Coordinates of all heavy atoms in Angstrom, one line a residue:
M1 N -10.4 -45.2 -21.8 CA -10.4 -45.2 -23.2 C -9.2 -44.3 -23.6 O -9.3 -43.1 -23.4 CB -11.7 -44.7 -23.7 CG -11.8 -44.7 -25.2 SD -13.6 -44.4 -25.6 CE -13.3 -43.7 -27.2
P2 N -8.2 -44.8 -24.3 CA -7.1 -44.0 -24.7 C -7.5 -43.0 -25.9 O -8.4 -43.3 -26.6 CB -6.1 -45.0 -25.2 CG -6.8 -46.2 -25.4 CD -8.0 -46.2 -24.6
M3 N -6.7 -42.0 -26.0 CA -7.0 -41.0 -27.0 C -6.4 -41.5 -28.4 O -5.3 -42.2 -28.4 CB -6.3 -39.7 -26.7 CG -6.9 -38.9 -25.6 SD -6.4 -37.2 -25.5 CE -4.7 -37.3 -25.4
S4 N -7.0 -41.1 -29.4 CA -6.5 -41.5 -30.7 C -5.4 -40.6 -31.1 O -5.2 -39.5 -30.5 CB -7.7 -41.4 -31.8 OG -8.0 -40.1 -32.0
D5 N -4.7 -40.9 -32.2 CA -3.6 -40.1 -32.6 C -4.1 -38.7 -33.1 O -3.4 -37.7 -32.9 CB -2.8 -40.8 -33.8 CG -2.0 -42.0 -33.3 OD1 -1.7 -42.0 -32.1 OD2 -1.7 -42.9 -34.1
E6 N -5.3 -38.7 -33.7 CA -5.8 -37.4 -34.2 C -6.2 -36.5 -32.9 O -5.9 -35.3 -33.0 CB -7.1 -37.7 -35.0 CG -7.9 -36.5 -35.4 CD -7.1 -35.7 -36.5 OE1 -6.1 -36.2 -37.1 OE2 -7.4 -34.5 -36.7
E7 N -6.7 -37.1 -31.9 CA -7.0 -36.3 -30.7 C -5.8 -35.8 -30.0 O -5.7 -34.7 -29.6 CB -7.8 -37.2 -29.7 CG -9.2 -37.5 -30.2 CD -9.9 -38.5 -29.3 OE1 -9.2 -39.4 -28.7 OE2 -11.2 -38.5 -29.2
R8 N -4.7 -36.6 -30.0 CA -3.5 -36.2 -29.4 C -2.9 -35.0 -30.2 O -2.4 -34.0 -29.7 CB -2.5 -37.3 -29.4 CG -2.7 -38.3 -28.3 CD -1.5 -39.2 -28.1 NE -1.9 -40.3 -27.3 CZ -2.1 -41.6 -27.7 NH1 -1.9 -41.8 -28.9 NH2 -2.5 -42.5 -26.8
R9 N -3.0 -35.1 -31.5 CA -2.5 -34.0 -32.4 C -3.2 -32.7 -32.2 O -2.7 -31.7 -32.1 CB -2.5 -34.5 -33.8 CG -1.9 -33.5 -34.8 CD -2.1 -33.9 -36.3 NE -3.5 -33.9 -36.7 CZ -4.3 -32.8 -36.9 NH1 -3.7 -31.6 -36.8 NH2 -5.5 -33.0 -37.3
L10 N -4.6 -32.8 -32.1 CA -5.4 -31.7 -31.9 C -5.1 -31.0 -30.5 O -5.1 -29.8 -30.4 CB -6.9 -32.0 -32.0 CG -7.4 -32.3 -33.4 CD1 -8.8 -32.8 -33.4 CD2 -7.3 -31.0 -34.2
L11 N -4.9 -31.9 -29.5 CA -4.6 -31.4 -28.2 C -3.3 -30.7 -28.2 O -3.1 -29.6 -27.6 CB -4.6 -32.5 -27.2 CG -4.4 -32.1 -25.7 CD1 -5.6 -31.2 -25.2 CD2 -4.4 -33.4 -24.9
K12 N -2.3 -31.2 -28.9 CA -1.0 -30.6 -28.9 C -1.1 -29.2 -29.7 O -0.5 -28.2 -29.3 CB 0.0 -31.5 -29.6 CG 1.4 -31.0 -29.6 CD 1.9 -31.0 -28.1 CE 3.4 -30.7 -28.1 NZ 3.9 -30.6 -26.7
E13 N -1.9 -29.2 -30.7 CA -2.1 -27.9 -31.5 C -2.7 -26.9 -30.6 O -2.4 -25.7 -30.6 CB -2.9 -28.2 -32.7 CG -2.2 -28.8 -33.9 CD -3.1 -29.0 -35.1 OE1 -4.1 -28.4 -35.1 OE2 -2.7 -29.8 -35.9
M14 N -3.7 -27.3 -29.8 CA -4.4 -26.3 -28.9 C -3.4 -25.8 -27.9 O -3.5 -24.6 -27.5 CB -5.6 -27.0 -28.3 CG -6.8 -27.2 -29.2 SD -8.2 -28.1 -28.7 CE -8.2 -28.0 -27.0
E15 N -2.6 -26.7 -27.3 CA -1.6 -26.3 -26.3 C -0.6 -25.3 -26.9 O -0.3 -24.3 -26.3 CB -0.9 -27.5 -25.8 CG 0.1 -27.3 -24.7 CD 0.8 -28.5 -24.2 OE1 0.4 -29.6 -24.5 OE2 1.9 -28.4 -23.6
L16 N -0.1 -25.6 -28.1 CA 0.8 -24.7 -28.7 C 0.1 -23.3 -29.0 O 0.8 -22.3 -28.9 CB 1.4 -25.3 -30.0 CG 2.3 -26.5 -29.7 CD1 2.8 -27.1 -31.0 CD2 3.5 -26.1 -28.9
G17 N -1.1 -23.4 -29.4 CA -1.9 -22.1 -29.7 C -2.0 -21.3 -28.5 O -1.9 -20.1 -28.5
L18 N -2.3 -21.9 -27.3 CA -2.4 -21.2 -26.1 C -1.1 -20.6 -25.7 O -1.1 -19.4 -25.3 CB -2.9 -22.2 -24.9 CG -2.9 -21.6 -23.5 CD1 -3.9 -20.5 -23.4 CD2 -3.2 -22.7 -22.5
I19 N 0.0 -21.3 -25.8 CA 1.3 -20.8 -25.5 C 1.6 -19.6 -26.4 O 2.1 -18.6 -25.9 CB 2.4 -21.9 -25.6 CG1 2.2 -22.9 -24.5 CG2 3.8 -21.3 -25.5 CD1 3.0 -24.1 -24.6
A20 N 1.2 -19.6 -27.7 CA 1.5 -18.5 -28.6 C 0.6 -17.3 -28.3 O 1.1 -16.2 -28.3 CB 1.3 -19.0 -30.0
D21 N -0.7 -17.6 -27.9 CA -1.6 -16.5 -27.7 C -1.4 -15.8 -26.4 O -1.5 -14.6 -26.3 CB -3.0 -17.0 -27.8 CG -3.5 -17.3 -29.2 OD1 -2.8 -16.9 -30.1 OD2 -4.5 -18.1 -29.3
D22 N -1.2 -16.6 -25.3 CA -1.1 -16.0 -23.9 C 0.0 -16.8 -23.2 O -0.3 -17.7 -22.4 CB -2.4 -16.1 -23.2 CG -2.5 -15.2 -22.0 OD1 -1.4 -14.7 -21.6 OD2 -3.6 -15.1 -21.4
P23 N 1.3 -16.5 -23.3 CA 2.3 -17.2 -22.7 C 2.3 -17.1 -21.2 O 2.6 -18.1 -20.4 CB 3.6 -16.6 -23.2 CG 3.2 -15.3 -23.9 CD 1.8 -15.4 -24.2
H24 N 1.8 -16.0 -20.6 CA 1.7 -15.8 -19.2 C 0.7 -16.8 -18.6 O 1.0 -17.5 -17.6 CB 1.3 -14.4 -18.8 CG 1.2 -14.2 -17.3 ND1 2.3 -14.2 -16.5 CD2 0.1 -14.0 -16.5 CE1 1.9 -14.0 -15.2 NE2 0.5 -13.9 -15.2
L25 N -0.5 -16.9 -19.2 CA -1.5 -17.8 -18.8 C -1.0 -19.3 -18.9 O -1.2 -20.1 -18.0 CB -2.8 -17.6 -19.5 CG -3.9 -18.6 -19.2 CD1 -4.3 -18.5 -17.8 CD2 -5.1 -18.4 -20.1
A26 N -0.3 -19.6 -20.0 CA 0.2 -20.9 -20.2 C 1.2 -21.3 -19.1 O 1.1 -22.4 -18.6 CB 0.8 -21.0 -21.6
M27 N 2.1 -20.4 -18.8 CA 3.1 -20.7 -17.8 C 2.4 -20.9 -16.4 O 2.8 -21.8 -15.6 CB 4.2 -19.7 -17.7 CG 5.1 -19.6 -18.9 SD 6.0 -21.2 -19.0 CE 5.4 -21.8 -20.6
E28 N 1.4 -20.1 -16.2 CA 0.7 -20.2 -14.9 C -0.1 -21.5 -14.8 O 0.0 -22.2 -13.8 CB -0.4 -19.0 -14.8 CG -1.1 -18.9 -13.5 CD -2.0 -17.8 -13.5 OE1 -1.7 -16.7 -14.0 OE2 -3.1 -17.9 -13.0
L29 N -0.7 -22.0 -15.9 CA -1.4 -23.2 -15.9 C -0.4 -24.4 -15.8 O -0.6 -25.4 -15.1 CB -2.2 -23.4 -17.1 CG -3.4 -22.5 -17.2 CD1 -4.1 -22.6 -18.6 CD2 -4.4 -22.7 -16.1
L30 N 0.7 -24.3 -16.5 CA 1.7 -25.4 -16.4 C 2.4 -25.5 -15.1 O 2.8 -26.6 -14.6 CB 2.8 -25.2 -17.5 CG 2.3 -25.4 -18.9 CD1 3.4 -25.0 -19.9 CD2 1.9 -26.9 -19.1
S31 N 2.5 -24.4 -14.3 CA 3.2 -24.4 -13.0 C 2.3 -25.0 -12.0 O 2.8 -25.6 -11.0 CB 3.6 -23.0 -12.6 OG 2.5 -22.3 -12.2
G32 N 1.0 -24.9 -12.1 CA 0.1 -25.4 -11.1 C -0.2 -24.5 -10.0 O -0.9 -24.8 -9.1
Y33 N 0.4 -23.3 -10.0 CA 0.2 -22.3 -9.0 C -0.4 -21.0 -9.6 O 0.3 -20.2 -10.1 CB 1.6 -21.9 -8.3 CG 2.2 -23.1 -7.6 CD1 3.3 -23.8 -8.1 CD2 1.7 -23.5 -6.3 CE1 3.8 -24.8 -7.4 CE2 2.2 -24.6 -5.7 CZ 3.3 -25.2 -6.2 OH 3.9 -26.3 -5.6
P34 N -1.7 -20.9 -9.5 CA -2.3 -19.7 -10.2 C -1.9 -18.5 -9.4 O -1.7 -18.4 -8.2 CB -3.8 -20.0 -10.0 CG -3.9 -21.0 -8.9 CD -2.7 -21.8 -8.9
A35 N -1.8 -17.4 -10.2 CA -1.5 -16.1 -9.7 C -2.7 -15.5 -8.9 O -3.8 -15.9 -9.1 CB -1.1 -15.1 -10.8
R36 N -2.4 -14.7 -7.9 CA -3.5 -14.0 -7.2 C -4.3 -13.1 -8.1 O -3.7 -12.3 -8.8 CB -2.9 -13.2 -6.0 CG -2.3 -14.1 -5.0 CD -1.6 -13.4 -3.9 NE -2.5 -12.4 -3.2 CZ -2.2 -11.8 -2.2 NH1 -1.1 -11.9 -1.6 NH2 -3.1 -10.9 -1.7
R37 N -5.6 -13.2 -8.0 CA -6.4 -12.4 -8.9 C -6.8 -11.0 -8.3 O -7.2 -10.1 -9.0 CB -7.7 -13.1 -9.2 CG -7.5 -14.4 -10.0 CD -7.0 -14.1 -11.4 NE -6.7 -15.4 -12.1 CZ -5.9 -15.5 -13.0 NH1 -5.2 -14.5 -13.4 NH2 -5.7 -16.6 -13.6
F38 N -6.7 -10.9 -7.0 CA -7.1 -9.7 -6.3 C -5.9 -9.2 -5.5 O -5.1 -10.0 -4.9 CB -8.3 -9.9 -5.3 CG -9.5 -10.4 -6.1 CD1 -9.9 -11.7 -5.9 CD2 -10.2 -9.6 -6.8 CE1 -11.0 -12.2 -6.6 CE2 -11.3 -10.0 -7.5 CZ -11.7 -11.3 -7.4
P39 N -5.7 -7.9 -5.4 CA -4.6 -7.4 -4.6 C -4.8 -7.7 -3.1 O -6.0 -7.9 -2.6 CB -4.7 -5.9 -4.8 CG -6.0 -5.6 -5.4 CD -6.5 -6.8 -6.0
A40 N -3.7 -7.7 -2.3 CA -3.8 -8.1 -0.9 C -4.6 -7.1 -0.1 O -5.3 -7.5 0.9 CB -2.4 -8.1 -0.4
G41 N -4.7 -5.8 -0.4 CA -5.4 -4.9 0.4 C -6.8 -4.6 -0.1 O -7.5 -3.7 0.3
L42 N -7.4 -5.6 -0.9 CA -8.7 -5.3 -1.4 C -9.8 -5.3 -0.3 O -10.6 -4.3 -0.2 CB -9.1 -6.4 -2.4 CG -10.5 -6.3 -3.1 CD1 -10.5 -5.1 -4.0 CD2 -10.8 -7.5 -3.8
F43 N -9.9 -6.3 0.5 CA -10.9 -6.4 1.6 C -10.7 -5.2 2.6 O -11.7 -4.5 2.9 CB -10.9 -7.7 2.2 CG -12.0 -7.8 3.3 CD1 -13.3 -7.8 3.0 CD2 -11.6 -7.9 4.6 CE1 -14.3 -7.9 3.9 CE2 -12.6 -7.9 5.6 CZ -13.9 -8.0 5.3
P44 N -9.5 -5.1 3.2 CA -9.4 -4.0 4.2 C -9.6 -2.6 3.6 O -10.1 -1.7 4.3 CB -8.0 -4.2 4.8 CG -7.4 -5.3 4.1 CD -8.3 -5.9 3.2
G45 N -9.1 -2.4 2.4 CA -9.2 -1.1 1.8 C -10.7 -0.8 1.5 O -11.1 0.3 1.7
T46 N -11.4 -1.8 1.0 CA -12.8 -1.5 0.7 C -13.6 -1.3 2.0 O -14.4 -0.4 2.0 CB -13.4 -2.8 0.0 OG1 -12.6 -3.0 -1.2 CG2 -14.9 -2.5 -0.4
L47 N -13.3 -2.0 3.0 CA -14.0 -1.9 4.3 C -13.7 -0.5 4.9 O -14.6 0.2 5.3 CB -13.6 -3.0 5.3 CG -14.3 -3.0 6.6 CD1 -15.8 -3.3 6.4 CD2 -13.7 -4.0 7.5
A48 N -12.5 -0.1 4.9 CA -12.1 1.3 5.4 C -12.8 2.4 4.6 O -13.3 3.4 5.2 CB -10.6 1.4 5.4
A49 N -12.8 2.2 3.3 CA -13.4 3.3 2.4 C -14.9 3.3 2.7 O -15.5 4.4 2.7 CB -13.1 3.0 1.0
L50 N -15.6 2.2 2.8 CA -17.0 2.2 3.0 C -17.3 2.8 4.4 O -18.3 3.6 4.5 CB -17.6 0.8 2.9 CG -17.7 0.3 1.5 CD1 -18.1 -1.2 1.5 CD2 -18.6 1.1 0.7
I51 N -16.6 2.5 5.4 CA -16.8 3.1 6.7 C -16.6 4.6 6.7 O -17.3 5.3 7.3 CB -16.0 2.4 7.8 CG1 -16.4 0.9 8.0 CG2 -16.0 3.1 9.1 CD1 -15.5 0.1 8.9
G52 N -15.5 5.0 5.9 CA -15.3 6.4 5.8 C -16.4 7.1 5.1 O -16.8 8.2 5.6
V53 N -17.0 6.5 4.1 CA -18.1 7.2 3.4 C -19.3 7.3 4.3 O -20.0 8.3 4.4 CB -18.5 6.4 2.1 CG1 -19.8 6.9 1.5 CG2 -17.4 6.6 1.1
V54 N -19.6 6.2 5.1 CA -20.7 6.3 6.0 C -20.5 7.4 7.1 O -21.4 8.1 7.4 CB -20.9 4.9 6.7 CG1 -21.8 5.0 7.9 CG2 -21.4 3.9 5.7
L55 N -19.3 7.5 7.6 CA -19.0 8.5 8.6 C -19.1 9.9 8.0 O -19.6 10.8 8.7 CB -17.6 8.3 9.2 CG -17.4 7.2 10.2 CD1 -16.0 7.0 10.6 CD2 -18.3 7.6 11.4
I56 N -18.7 10.1 6.8 CA -18.8 11.4 6.1 C -20.3 11.8 6.0 O -20.7 12.9 6.3 CB -18.1 11.4 4.7 CG1 -16.6 11.3 4.9 CG2 -18.5 12.7 3.9 CD1 -15.8 11.1 3.6
V57 N -21.1 10.9 5.5 CA -22.5 11.1 5.3 C -23.2 11.4 6.7 O -24.0 12.3 6.8 CB -23.2 10.0 4.6 CG1 -24.7 10.1 4.5 CG2 -22.6 9.9 3.1
A58 N -22.9 10.5 7.7 CA -23.5 10.7 9.0 C -23.0 12.0 9.6 O -23.8 12.7 10.3 CB -23.1 9.5 9.9
G59 N -21.7 12.3 9.5 CA -21.2 13.5 10.1 C -21.7 14.8 9.4 O -21.9 15.8 10.1
A60 N -22.1 14.7 8.1 CA -22.6 15.8 7.4 C -24.1 16.1 7.9 O -24.5 17.3 7.9 CB -22.6 15.6 5.9
G61 N -24.8 15.1 8.3 CA -26.2 15.2 8.7 C -26.3 15.6 10.2 O -27.3 16.1 10.6
L62 N -25.2 15.4 10.9 CA -25.2 15.7 12.4 C -24.2 16.8 12.6 O -23.2 17.0 11.9 CB -24.8 14.5 13.2 CG -25.7 13.3 13.0 CD1 -25.1 12.1 13.7 CD2 -27.1 13.5 13.6
P63 N -24.3 17.5 13.7 CA -23.3 18.5 14.1 C -22.1 17.8 14.7 O -21.7 18.0 15.9 CB -24.0 19.4 15.1 CG -25.0 18.6 15.7 CD -25.5 17.6 14.7
A64 N -21.4 17.0 13.9 CA -20.2 16.2 14.4 C -19.1 16.4 13.4 O -18.9 15.5 12.5 CB -20.6 14.8 14.6
P65 N -18.3 17.4 13.5 CA -17.2 17.6 12.5 C -16.1 16.6 12.7 O -15.4 16.2 11.7 CB -16.7 19.0 12.8 CG -17.1 19.3 14.2 CD -18.4 18.6 14.4
G66 N -16.0 16.0 13.8 CA -15.0 14.9 14.1 C -15.3 13.7 13.2 O -14.4 13.0 12.7
A67 N -16.6 13.4 13.1 CA -17.0 12.2 12.3 C -16.6 12.4 10.8 O -16.2 11.5 10.1 CB -18.5 11.9 12.4
V68 N -16.8 13.7 10.3 CA -16.4 14.0 8.9 C -14.9 13.8 8.7 O -14.5 13.2 7.7 CB -16.9 15.3 8.5 CG1 -16.5 15.7 7.1 CG2 -18.5 15.4 8.6
V69 N -14.2 14.4 9.7 CA -12.7 14.3 9.5 C -12.2 12.8 9.6 O -11.4 12.4 8.8 CB -12.0 15.1 10.7 CG1 -10.5 14.9 10.7 CG2 -12.3 16.6 10.4
L70 N -12.8 12.1 10.5 CA -12.4 10.7 10.7 C -12.8 9.9 9.4 O -12.1 9.0 8.9 CB -13.1 10.0 11.9 CG -12.7 8.6 12.2 CD1 -11.2 8.4 12.4 CD2 -13.5 8.1 13.4
G71 N -14.0 10.3 8.8 CA -14.5 9.6 7.6 C -13.5 9.9 6.4 O -13.2 9.0 5.6
I72 N -13.1 11.2 6.3 CA -12.2 11.5 5.3 C -10.8 10.8 5.4 O -10.3 10.3 4.4 CB -12.0 13.0 5.2 CG1 -13.2 13.7 4.8 CG2 -10.8 13.4 4.3 CD1 -13.2 15.2 4.9
L73 N -10.4 10.7 6.6 CA -9.1 9.9 6.9 C -9.3 8.4 6.5 O -8.4 7.8 5.9 CB -8.7 10.1 8.3 CG -8.2 11.5 8.7 CD1 -7.9 11.5 10.2 CD2 -7.0 11.9 7.9
L74 N -10.4 7.8 6.9 CA -10.6 6.4 6.6 C -10.8 6.2 5.1 O -10.3 5.2 4.6 CB -11.9 5.9 7.4 CG -11.6 5.5 8.8 CD1 -12.9 5.1 9.4 CD2 -10.7 4.3 8.9
L75 N -11.4 7.1 4.4 CA -11.6 7.1 3.0 C -10.2 7.1 2.3 O -9.9 6.4 1.4 CB -12.5 8.2 2.5 CG -12.9 8.1 1.0 CD1 -13.6 6.8 0.7 CD2 -13.8 9.3 0.7
G76 N -9.4 8.0 2.8 CA -8.0 8.1 2.3 C -7.2 6.9 2.5 O -6.5 6.4 1.7
L77 N -7.3 6.3 3.7 CA -6.6 5.1 4.1 C -7.1 3.9 3.2 O -6.3 3.2 2.7 CB -6.9 4.7 5.6 CG -6.3 3.4 6.0 CD1 -4.8 3.4 6.0 CD2 -6.8 3.0 7.4
G78 N -8.4 3.8 3.0 CA -8.9 2.8 2.1 C -8.5 2.9 0.7 O -8.1 1.9 0.1
T79 N -8.4 4.1 0.2 CA -7.9 4.4 -1.1 C -6.4 4.0 -1.2 O -6.0 3.4 -2.2 CB -8.1 5.9 -1.5 OG1 -9.5 6.2 -1.4 CG2 -7.6 6.1 -2.9
C80 N -5.6 4.3 -0.2 CA -4.2 4.0 -0.2 C -4.0 2.5 -0.2 O -3.1 1.9 -0.8 CB -3.5 4.6 0.9 SG -3.2 6.4 0.7
L81 N -4.9 1.8 0.6 CA -4.8 0.3 0.6 C -5.2 -0.3 -0.7 O -4.6 -1.3 -1.1 CB -5.6 -0.3 1.8 CG -5.2 0.0 3.2 CD1 -6.2 -0.5 4.2 CD2 -3.8 -0.8 3.4
L82 N -6.2 0.2 -1.3 CA -6.6 -0.3 -2.6 C -5.6 0.0 -3.7 O -5.3 -0.9 -4.6 CB -8.0 0.2 -3.0 CG -9.1 -0.4 -2.2 CD1 -10.4 0.4 -2.5 CD2 -9.3 -1.8 -2.6
L83 N -5.1 1.2 -3.8 CA -4.2 1.6 -4.9 C -2.8 1.7 -4.5 O -1.9 2.0 -5.3 CB -4.7 3.0 -5.4 CG -6.1 3.0 -5.9 CD1 -6.5 4.5 -6.3 CD2 -6.4 2.1 -7.0
G84 N -2.4 1.4 -3.3 CA -1.1 1.6 -2.7 C 0.1 1.1 -3.6 O 0.9 1.8 -4.0
P85 N 0.1 -0.2 -3.8 CA 1.2 -0.8 -4.6 C 1.3 -0.2 -6.0 O 2.4 0.1 -6.4 CB 0.9 -2.3 -4.7 CG 0.0 -2.5 -3.5 CD -0.8 -1.3 -3.3
T86 N 0.2 0.1 -6.6 CA 0.3 0.7 -8.0 C 0.8 2.1 -7.9 O 1.7 2.5 -8.7 CB -1.1 0.7 -8.6 OG1 -1.7 -0.7 -8.5 CG2 -1.1 1.1 -10.0
V87 N 0.3 2.9 -7.0 CA 0.7 4.3 -6.9 C 2.1 4.4 -6.5 O 2.9 5.2 -7.0 CB -0.3 5.1 -5.9 CG1 0.2 6.4 -5.7 CG2 -1.7 5.1 -6.5
L88 N 2.5 3.5 -5.5 CA 3.9 3.5 -5.0 C 4.9 3.2 -6.1 O 5.9 3.8 -6.3 CB 4.0 2.6 -3.8 CG 5.4 2.5 -3.1 CD1 5.7 3.9 -2.6 CD2 5.4 1.4 -2.1
A89 N 4.5 2.2 -6.9 CA 5.4 1.7 -8.0 C 5.6 2.9 -9.0 O 6.7 3.1 -9.6 CB 4.9 0.5 -8.7
R90 N 4.5 3.6 -9.4 CA 4.6 4.7 -10.3 C 5.4 5.8 -9.8 O 6.2 6.4 -10.5 CB 3.2 5.2 -10.7 CG 2.4 4.3 -11.6 CD 1.1 4.9 -11.9 NE 0.2 3.9 -12.6 CZ -1.0 4.0 -12.8 NH1 -1.7 5.1 -12.3 NH2 -1.7 3.1 -13.4
S91 N 5.2 6.1 -8.5 CA 6.0 7.3 -8.0 C 7.5 6.9 -7.9 O 8.3 7.8 -8.1 CB 5.4 7.7 -6.6 OG 5.6 6.7 -5.6
Q92 N 7.8 5.7 -7.5 CA 9.2 5.3 -7.5 C 9.8 5.2 -8.9 O 11.0 5.6 -9.1 CB 9.3 3.9 -6.8 CG 9.1 3.9 -5.3 CD 9.2 2.5 -4.8 OE1 9.2 1.5 -5.4 NE2 9.3 2.5 -3.4
G93 N 9.0 4.9 -9.9 CA 9.5 4.9 -11.3 C 9.9 6.3 -11.7 O 10.8 6.5 -12.4
R94 N 9.0 7.3 -11.4 CA 9.3 8.7 -11.7 C 10.6 9.2 -11.0 O 11.4 9.9 -11.6 CB 8.1 9.6 -11.4 CG 7.0 9.5 -12.3 CD 6.0 10.6 -12.1 NE 4.7 10.1 -12.5 CZ 3.6 10.1 -11.7 NH1 3.7 10.6 -10.5 NH2 2.5 9.7 -12.1
Q95 N 10.8 8.8 -9.8 CA 11.9 9.3 -9.0 C 13.2 8.7 -9.6 O 14.2 9.4 -9.7 CB 11.8 8.9 -7.5 CG 10.7 9.7 -6.8 CD 10.5 9.2 -5.4 OE1 11.1 8.3 -5.0 NE2 9.6 9.9 -4.7
S96 N 13.2 7.5 -10.0 CA 14.4 6.8 -10.5 C 14.8 7.3 -11.9 O 16.0 7.3 -12.2 CB 14.3 5.3 -10.5 OG 13.3 4.9 -11.4
T97 N 13.8 7.7 -12.7 CA 14.1 8.2 -14.0 C 14.5 9.7 -14.0 O 15.0 10.2 -15.0 CB 12.9 8.0 -15.0 OG1 11.8 8.7 -14.5 CG2 12.7 6.5 -15.1
G98 N 14.1 10.4 -13.0 CA 14.2 11.9 -13.0 C 15.4 12.3 -12.3 O 16.5 12.4 -12.2

């Protein structure tokens, strides 16, 4: 069943409204290639941070200072993987302007 002229006009108005409201989303939808919604280091960073927290808690309850140190290192690694590109871009921006 073909669209009526009124339906075509409304669809065109909605399309133009989307382009005006959110041009980035409109270009993403028109290209057919959606942008990645999650950073690349989300899964490994979260896993490393969680293992680090478990090691810190387990090491604090046991006489195992090595587990606490390893846990802190893994927690730091996980944080760097999660926030790495953002933090790196900010620090490079400060260096180039200063």
